Amino acid sequence: MGKIGILREFWEFLRIRKKLWLAPIVFILLLLGLLIVATSNTALAPFIYALF
């Protein structure tokens, strides 16, 4: 099962169980995680961490 399979299974879970309100929350958490990982070793890190 690849990454696409996991995303498809997660989407089906949200759709079948009528939990579509969780999708934006998960999306924002993933974006914040990517932001932290992408800026962890740069000069921008102190400014990003100051936002939180």
Side-chain angles (χ1 to χ4, degrees):
M1 180 184 288
K3 292 180 184 178
I4 299 298
I6 293 172
L7 291 176
R8 180 175 290 151
E9 187 175 341
F10 180 67
W11 176 252
E12 288 178 12
F13 167 77
L14 293 178
R15 189 173 50 89
I16 290 171
R17 303 238 196 277
K18 309 240 188 285
K19 304 274 186 198
L20 291 175
W21 56 271
L22 284 174
I25 296 170
V26 171
F27 181 71
I28 289 174
L29 287 175
L30 286 174
L31 285 178
L32 286 175
L34 287 173
L35 177 69
I36 290 172
V37 168
T39 60
S40 64
N41 293 328
T42 65
L44 293 174
F47 302 110
I48 298 297
Y49 290 126
L51 293 175
F52 301 107

